[in-house]
Amino acid sequence: MARRTLSARIRRKVNGYAAKARRLLRSLHPEDAHPDDVWALTHLTPGEAHVYEAMDPRDREHACRVTRHLLREHPEASPELVAAALLHDCGKSLRPYWLWERVLVGLIPNRLTRVLPPVGAIGIRAHHPELGARLLAHAGARPRVARLVARHHHPGGDPDATLLHVYDDQE
C-alpha cells in the first residue's frame, strides 16, 4: 500500500514538472499566447474582469486552460471557483517579467521561492497568491474568489482551493 502511494506521488510530481516544462515553452513569446478572453470575461464581475485584463497574455492563456480543464471534469464547479481559476495568477501582473526571469522563476520550485529574499521576480513569484488576493479585494472582487486565489498553492483543507491547486499543477 505504501509503495503504491509513493509511486502515485512520484507520478504526480513527474506529471507536474512535465506540465511546468510545457507551460514554460509556451510562455517564451507573448505574441504566441491566445487566451480566450471573450469566454473568460463571461465568468467575471466587472472588477474581476479589470484585473484579468491586466494580466500578461501568457498567464491569461494558462488561466483559461486551467479553467477549461477544471470545468471538463467538474462541470458543477461554483462560479467563484471558475473565476478564481481564471484569476489565480493575477498577482504576477504587479510586475512585468523579462524573458530570462520568466524562465528562471518557472524552474525554481515554489517552496524554495518562499525562503529566498522577497525581491524582484522571485518575490512576486513566491507571494503572487497573497498579492493577487489583495489586488482582487481592492478591485471589488467577490471575497470567496480572492480567498481561493490566496490559497491556490496552499489549500489548507479547502476543497475548492485543492481543486484549483491540482488543475493549476496539471496545466
Side-chain angles (χ1 to χ4, degrees), residues 20 57 123:
K20 194 176 235 193

Side-chain angles (χ1 to χ4, degrees), residues 40-79:
L41 292 171
T42 66
H43 297 285
L44 303 172
T45 66
E48 294 163 356
H50 182 71
V51 171
Y52 173 85
E53 290 172 326
M55 292 168 59
D56 184 283
R58 295 166 286 195
D59 292 329
R60 293 194 323 266
E61 181 182 58
H62 163 69
C64 288
R65 280 195 314 275
V66 169
T67 307
R68 287 189 186 279
H69 191 172
L70 171 79
L71 286 171
R72 265 194 311 277
E73 296 182 15
H74 299 277
E76 77 292 345
S78 72

